[in-house]
Amino acid sequence: MGRKSQAGLRAGQNVRKLALKRRVKAIFLFVMAGLAIASTISLHQVSLQLSQLTTGTATSNQSSQSLQFSLSLYLSGGAIALGAAFGGLYLWKRAGHADQGAQAEEAIAKLLNPLIAEGWQIEYGLWLGKGLGDADVVCLSPRQQAFVIDVKSHRGTVVTDGVRLLREFGAEKKPFEKDFLRQVKRQAVQVKSQKNWSFFVTPILAFSTAKVALPSGKIEGVYVVEAQRLVDLLRSLVAATPPE
């Protein structure tokens, strides 16, 4: 696990909590699905018993109504059970994605640990609010250069069309589900404001698993880097900045 931040948060801690919440909700929905099935069967058995008690006097119209009731009962119970089950599966899958993201943040934290011995201050899970969630990593170098790092656990190869980031699998290229560049730039602005820093906060996207194939390694003012090259990038950016 990564070192604790000044606020006491570990790398990936917020995402682990999110994953746990999603799993708890998923289990609740699975239980609901099971109860819906059990209740439907129980109600049907009760209706059959009542029907048997009145068999001698039942009319064809009453038998038809009983059949319609049973059909409606199973359709309603089945719909509730399926809806709850699919909702549970969706949340369970999302929990897996959150765990994957937490693992990526923890892996990044291990890579960043050597910087602490060099005098860097590193904070994890800084809550930003304003629709930005939390900043995965905020770094402050001994020379007062600041960086916000948004960690991504996507696979494939990260490329660009000159304007946006794309994910490449073989010959297929698709845009990411969100505008990561805009997101991390907004995080950088908010971190600067929230920390009341007078200096610029450099935005970085770090991919823990994907390969990055950007000609300049930078697009729209955002550095995009593979996890294994992150520390070298930070050190080079600090070294390239003249002291004040």
Side-chain angles (χ1 to χ4, degrees), residues 40 69-80:
T40 300
F69 173 76
S70 297
L71 181 60
S72 298
L73 181 65
Y74 275 103
L75 286 175
S76 300
I80 294 172

Side-chain angles (χ1 to χ4, degrees), residues 101-164:
Q103 290 172 4
E105 291 183 27
E106 291 160 2
I108 291 291
K110 289 181 180 179
L111 294 173
L112 293 175
N113 277 342
L115 294 179
I116 297 176
E118 299 173 15
W120 288 65
Q121 297 178 38
I122 302 178
E123 186 173 356
Y124 300 104
L126 174 65
W127 181 251
L128 301 178
K130 298 185 178 181
L132 296 175
D134 56 29
D136 295 333
V137 190
V138 176
C139 299
L140 184 65
S141 79
R143 294 171 61 181
Q144 300 298 290
Q145 293 105 324
F147 307 87
V148 60
I149 304 169
D150 196 5
V151 180
K152 301 301 178 186
S153 59
H154 299 72
R155 301 181 185 277
T157 302
V158 181
V159 296
T160 180
D161 59 4
V163 178
R164 57 182 179 170

Side-chain angles (χ1 to χ4, degrees), residues 10 21-22 55 73 85 116 123 165 186 211 215 230 240:
R10 297 184 302 274
K21 288 181 181 178
R22 287 174 177 172
T55 299
L73 181 65
I116 297 176
E123 186 173 356
L165 294 179
R186 289 180 63 204
K211 294 184 179 298
L230 177 59

Side-chain angles (χ1 to χ4, degrees), residues 160-231:
T160 180
D161 59 4
V163 178
R164 57 182 179 170
L165 294 179
L166 304 172
R167 184 161 47 158
E168 182 179 74
F169 284 101
E172 185 179 26
K173 296 180 182 179
K174 288 185 177 181
F176 287 93
E177 64 274 13
K178 295 180 180 179
D179 188 345
F180 295 148
L181 298 174
R182 178 174 179 271
Q183 182 181 35
V184 72
K185 285 193 290 185
R186 289 180 63 204
Q187 287 184 349
V189 172
Q190 180 60 21
V191 168
K192 182 178 184 295
S193 172
Q194 198 162 306
K195 292 287 189 179
N196 198 27
W197 284 336
S198 60
F199 40 84
F200 181 73
V201 178
T202 301
I204 298 176
L205 280 176
F207 286 85
S208 64
T209 305
K211 294 184 179 298
V212 176
L214 271 64
S216 65
K218 187 178 181 181
I219 177 173
E220 298 291 319
V222 178
Y223 289 93
V224 185
V225 64
E226 298 172 16
Q228 297 300 325
R229 295 190 57 252
L230 177 59
V231 171

